Structures are given as C-alpha cells and as structure tokens.
Amino acid sequence: MSDHSDAPVAPIGAFEPPYYVAVFSTIRTQEQDGYRETNARMEELVRAVPGFLGMDHAQTPGGLGITVGYFRDADALAQWRTNEEHRAAQRRGRAEWYESYTLHIAKVERSHGYTRE
C-alpha cells in the first residue's frame, strides 16, 4: 500500500488460523501525484476495520511492490473491499498510478514464524 520507508524491517508475526490474506502486487506508473496522501489515508482506513490484523510491504529495486494485508475473517476483508473511499482510490489507481497489478485472496490454514534471539 505504501513505500513504508519508516517501517520496521521485520515481518508481521504469525496469527492463529484460519484468517485471510490479500496479496496486492503492483508496478506503478511514473505519474504518482497524490499517491502518498491517498495511500496514507487508505492505511488509516484499513487499520480501523474490525478484524484487520496488519500488513507487510516490500518493494524491489526494479519497481515491483507487494503488500500483504491480513484479516481475521471474510467479513473484515469484505468490509475493506466495499469501503467507498477505498473503491474511489482503486479507480484512481487504475486511471493514474498503476501500470499493472494483481490481487490474490487466500484463506490461511497454517501459519508459524521464527525469530532469532
């Protein structure tokens, strides 16, 4: 969803399954006017969705961006998908900010993590 230049370099921890993920992969256009502001607003909105668990984001030097949003259940994901401000940002993204994107939605049935101590 964003550049996350101030985000910590650590993945979101594992959650107790089942839960849902939305994997949003993008290539952005050169035209990015208004992107940062809209992105900040989208992050504010998604964090207010009951059942939103968190997100991870990565950007390759070649320009591929991947954001993974974690949601407790399908209802939380549906609430985010149908939010009117989010839908307006999607339309603007297709018109201005994205050269291409893919969205994958999946139900997570197994999850674990590791942290070196």
Side-chain angles (χ1 to χ4, degrees):
M1 282 190 199
S2 75
D3 296 327
H4 293 285
S5 58
D6 59 345
V9 181
I12 293 290
F15 299 104
E16 183 65 33
Y19 59 94
Y20 288 80
V21 294
V23 182
F24 186 54
S25 303
T26 65
I27 300 293
R28 296 195 318 212
T29 63
Q30 293 296 315
E31 175 56 49
Q32 295 296 295
D33 288 343
Y35 179 84
R36 285 184 183 271
E37 297 81 5
T38 301
N39 185 67
R41 176 64 179 151
M42 293 305 102
E43 286 194 20
E44 178 184 334
L45 288 174
V46 74
R47 290 181 191 286
V49 171
F52 174 73
L53 300 172
M55 74 176 76
D56 285 319
H57 178 80
Q59 185 85 33
T60 69
L64 175 65
I66 301 173
T67 299
V68 182
Y70 302 89
F71 297 84
R72 174 50 52 207
D73 52 39
D75 290 340
L77 191 55
Q79 185 175 343
W80 175 236
R81 184 184 70 243
T82 60
N83 177 283
E84 284 304 316
E85 280 188 73
H86 180 218
R87 293 179 63 82
Q90 290 172 329
R91 288 188 294 273
R92 188 168 179 197
R94 284 189 296 272
E96 297 177 39
W97 300 319
Y98 298 119
E99 195 66 45
S100 64
Y101 69 81
T102 57
L103 175 65
H104 305 277
I105 305 297
K107 183 176 183 179
V108 176
E109 296 179 0
R110 185 173 51 194
S111 181
H112 68 276
Y114 167 80
T115 302
R116 183 177 306 275
E117 295 189 26

